[in-house]
């Protein structure tokens, strides 16, 4: 607990004691509390009214059984989760993750982060997250449909456009959202478009939603570079992952003049010095559902793959982790620093460990946390909710402009808040403090909730 303000020690100890074994959640809470020292010194009412303690306890935690039948006729059982963490600013909002690693601690950490991310957008949405330990990889469309229908049969009673609005996350794309929405509509007898986001464009979805998290992260980096009197021109960039967020981050980086020379998946990474071919990457990962090694083979000598090693050993100017939590630890951070990296922005949720962030700070690497840098996805989800509520549909260009403006505002809010609390240039402090104050003030205004 070193570095915590003395008024926050007991709060962190209470969180650790009440949530045993949930290490990711502990890490997320500690990071926020660590930033709040100057806030509670200036505004002791946040401690006196227990608003910080209340903020660390979810409003509701839902765990349920998900039985379904696979293609062989065998009954399978998975576990479903939804953590509705805070609704002071609006209905709970956050994605659903389908992955074998999902457990309550992961969902709780993601939903806690979501509170501050959603607050930073300036939009009227609270924080929540959900998911299941179901793995859609290798499953037929029929199996995925039956699982999603069973999952929604339990979850639907907790959802609503003014209550809780899920979206997609890892393992949950447009196919899964379609099956989930179809079952919600079937059970409720309501075409409530605003109850789920990430829908198909022909049935209530928003332009740019697929691209939003990747594009938004790059728009944030663009503002970071501008604040440092720099730009993407001529920059070598490394992006981890090769899924939705990574693909569209690569696409936007190339549009802005940077060159992404490496990306990865769980098996290893690929290096293409001329720049990752986005069209080929999309074909391999989205159409053929192949591995990153297939990209190198398709490039016939123009690229090479490395198996079982971290992509961060590739020298770069800018690093954009877009895979999963804690993918960059102290060793990976050391690779990046040695390779000349000057900027790191999180496209995933908490991909950098505390040890990595400490090394970045000590080495003078400018670092932006995911709750600020990757807020574009949920921001565009909120734009989708806005369109659904007005029975409207906006063009790609219009929605992209709105997304870029939102990311610019988030960036500027982080910098100005860090400056206000005597930590100039500290994006972590700026994001945590700005996100916290908006939620905390709403909680105080609403009374004891």
């Amino acid at each position: 607990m070193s570095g915590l303000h003395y008024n926050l020690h007991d709060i962190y100890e209470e969180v650790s004691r009440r949530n045993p074994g949930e290490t990711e959640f502990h890490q997320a809470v500690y990071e926020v509390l660590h930033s709040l020292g100057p806030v509670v010194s200036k505004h002791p009412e946040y401690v006196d009214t227990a608003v910080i303690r209340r903020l660390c306890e979810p409003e509701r935690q839902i765990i349920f059984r998900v039985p379904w039948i696979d293609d062989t006729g065998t009954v399978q059982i998975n576990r479903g989760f939804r953590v509705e963490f805070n609704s002071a600013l609006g209905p709970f909002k956050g994605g659903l993750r389908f992955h074998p690693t999902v457990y309550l601690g992961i969902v709780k950490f993601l939903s806690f982060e979501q509170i501050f991310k959603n607050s930073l957008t300036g939009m009227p949405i609270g924080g929540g997250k959900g998911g299941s330990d179901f793995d859609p990889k290798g499953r037929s469309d029929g199996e995925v449909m039956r699982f999603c229908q069973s999952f929604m049969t339990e979850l639907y009673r907790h959802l609503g456009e003014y209550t809780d609005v899920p979206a997609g996350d890892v393992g949950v794309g447009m196919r899964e959202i379609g099956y989930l929405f179809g079952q919600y509509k079937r059970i409720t007898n309501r075409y409530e478009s605003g109850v789920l986001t990430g829908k198909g464009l022909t049935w209530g979805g928003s332009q740019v939603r697929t691209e939003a998290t990747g594009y938004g992260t790059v728009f944030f980096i663009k503002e970071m570079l501008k604040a440092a009197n720099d730009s993407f021109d001529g920059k070598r960039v490394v992006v981890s992952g090769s899924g939705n967020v990574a693909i569209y981050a690569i696409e936007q980086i190339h549009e802005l003049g940077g060159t992404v020379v490496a990306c990865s998946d769980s098996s290893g990474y690929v290096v293409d010095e001329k720049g990752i071919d986005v069209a080929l990457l999309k074909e391999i990962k989205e159409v053929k559902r192949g591995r990153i090694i297939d990209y190198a083979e398709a490039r016939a000598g123009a690229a090479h793959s490395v198996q079982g090693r971290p992509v961060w050993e590739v020298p770069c100017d800018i690093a954009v982790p877009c895979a999963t939590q804690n993918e960059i630890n102290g060793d990976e951070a050391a690779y990046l620093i040695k390779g000349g990296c000057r900027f790191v922005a999180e496209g995933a949720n908490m991909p950098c460990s505390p040890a990595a962030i400490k090394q970045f700070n000590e080495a003078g690497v400018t670092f932006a946390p995911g709750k600020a840098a990757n807020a574009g996805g949920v921001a565009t989800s909120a734009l989708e909710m806005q369109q659904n509520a007005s029975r409207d549909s906006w063009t790609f260009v219009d929605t992209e402009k709105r997304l870029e403006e939102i990311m610019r505002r988030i960036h500027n809010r982080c910098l100005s808040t860090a400056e206000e609390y005597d930590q100039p240039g500290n994006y972590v402090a700026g994001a945590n403090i700005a996100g916290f104050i908006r939620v905390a003030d709403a909680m105080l205004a609403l009374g004891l909730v």
Side-chain angles (χ1 to χ4, degrees):
M1 292 188 299
S2 61
L4 284 185
H5 187 279
Y6 67 90
N7 277 334
L8 302 175
H9 285 178
D10 290 346
I11 296 174
Y12 182 72
E13 285 185 351
E14 182 179 23
V15 168
S16 300
R17 185 178 68 253
R18 290 167 66 92
N19 303 275
E22 298 173 359
T23 55
E24 298 87 356
F25 178 49
H26 300 166
Q27 181 181 336
V29 171
Y30 182 88
E31 184 207 89
V32 171
L33 295 184
H34 186 268
S35 298
L36 295 185
V39 179
V40 296
S41 294
K42 191 173 182 179
H43 301 285
E45 65 270 20
Y46 291 136
V47 174
D48 297 340
T49 58
V51 72
I52 299 176
R53 287 179 58 210
R54 284 184 274 153
L55 190 57
C56 292
E57 184 67 25
E59 292 183 27
R60 192 172 296 107
Q61 301 179 69
I62 305 154
I63 305 176
F64 53 96
R65 181 179 63 204
V66 188
W68 58 282
I69 299 176
D70 67 19
D71 287 343
T72 70
T74 303
V75 174
Q76 302 287 341
I77 305 293
N78 285 98
R79 184 172 287 178
F81 305 91
R82 187 69 179 173
V83 175
E84 298 176 333
F85 220 116
N86 191 285
S87 60
L89 295 176
F92 305 105
K93 184 81 191 80
L96 298 171
R97 174 175 295 191
F98 292 170
H99 193 273
T101 60
V102 169
Y103 79 107
L104 183 60
I106 289 283
V107 177
K108 204 178 291 182
F109 126 66
L110 290 169
S111 56
F112 183 76
E113 288 279 291
Q114 200 75 41
I115 299 169
F116 307 98
K117 182 187 299 186
N118 293 0
S119 172
L120 284 169
T121 69
M123 305 176 91
I125 44 178
K129 208 79 174 185
S132 173
D133 56 3
F134 170 75
D135 189 357
K137 286 185 178 178
R139 292 294 182 181
S140 69
D141 286 351
E143 288 176 321
V144 173
M145 180 185 70
R146 290 191 291 275
F147 171 81
C148 288
Q149 289 176 337
S150 181
F151 184 88
M152 182 55 78
T153 297
E154 172 59 34
L155 187 61
Y156 88 94
R157 70 197 72 213
H158 303 288
L159 306 182
E161 60 182 322
Y162 300 111
T163 306
D164 187 350
V165 183
D169 195 273
V170 174
V172 179
M174 199 176 298
R175 174 184 62 172
E176 289 76 17
I177 292 294
Y179 293 148
L180 291 165
F181 182 70
Q183 185 71 353
Y184 182 87
K185 184 174 77 72
R186 182 183 184 189
I187 292 170
T188 63
N189 194 32
R190 294 196 303 271
Y191 203 104
E192 192 178 333
S193 297
V195 77
L196 282 166
T197 57
K199 301 182 292 297
L201 293 179
T202 59
W203 45 282
S206 172
Q207 299 276 3
V208 193
R209 181 59 191 90
T210 301
E211 299 86 354
T213 306
Y215 277 20
T217 301
V218 177
F219 291 149
F220 192 95
I221 299 170
K222 177 184 175 183
E223 296 302 317
M224 292 172 69
L225 290 165
K226 187 190 297 184
N229 296 314
D230 208 339
S231 74
F232 270 109
D233 289 342
K235 296 294 188 297
R236 278 176 63 93
V237 185
V238 169
V239 174
S240 70
S242 49
N244 184 69
V245 178
I247 286 172
Y248 290 103
I250 295 169
E251 182 174 273
Q252 188 62 223
I253 289 166
H254 287 173
E255 287 188 16
L256 293 177
T259 302
V260 178
V261 297
C263 63
S264 64
D265 63 15
S266 58
S267 65
Y269 66 86
V270 64
V271 178
D272 191 332
E273 290 291 345
K274 292 185 178 180
I276 296 295
D277 184 327
V278 176
L280 177 60
L281 184 63
K282 285 181 181 180
E283 180 184 354
I284 288 170
K285 302 301 289 189
E286 296 181 345
V287 179
K288 297 180 178 179
R289 298 185 184 273
R291 307 298 291 167
I292 203 68
I293 191 172
D294 300 327
Y295 176 95
E297 292 174 355
R299 289 282 284 158
H304 70 274
S305 65
V306 178
Q307 302 299 294
R309 295 289 302 168
V311 70
W312 310 116
E313 62 188 12
V314 179
C316 63
D317 301 302
I318 302 169
V320 191
C322 296
T324 190
Q325 64 270 6
N326 290 325
E327 61 174 289
I328 300 181
N329 58 29
D331 292 337
E332 282 79 19
Y335 285 134
L336 285 168
I337 293 166
K338 183 179 179 181
C341 183
R342 295 169 46 219
F343 297 89
V344 177
E346 295 184 322
N349 293 306
M350 206 170 73
C352 297
S353 71
I357 297 170
K358 183 173 184 290
Q359 289 189 56
F360 292 146
N361 290 337
E362 291 173 349
V365 176
T366 304
F367 172 78
K371 60 171 63 73
N374 74 24
V378 74
T380 307
S381 281
L383 295 178
E384 182 175 330
M385 293 168 65
Q386 187 175 339
Q387 291 170 84
N388 292 159
S390 62
R391 299 294 190 268
D392 199 359
S393 181
W394 305 333
T395 67
F396 190 99
V397 171
D398 187 39
T399 308
E400 185 179 14
K401 285 181 179 178
R402 292 176 190 236
L403 169 62
E404 185 167 10
E405 178 56 34
I406 289 169
M407 297 311 297
R408 184 179 299 113
R409 289 201 306 265
I410 293 173
H411 173 271
N412 293 342
R413 189 174 296 126
C414 290
L415 273 193
S416 63
T417 303
E419 184 82 30
E420 180 183 349
Y421 284 88
D422 299 320
Q423 299 183 66
N426 189 331
Y427 286 95
V428 174
N432 286 332
I433 294 172
F436 166 78
I437 288 175
R438 183 166 179 247
V439 177
D441 287 349
M443 292 176 70
L444 290 175
L446 297 175
L448 192 58
V449 296

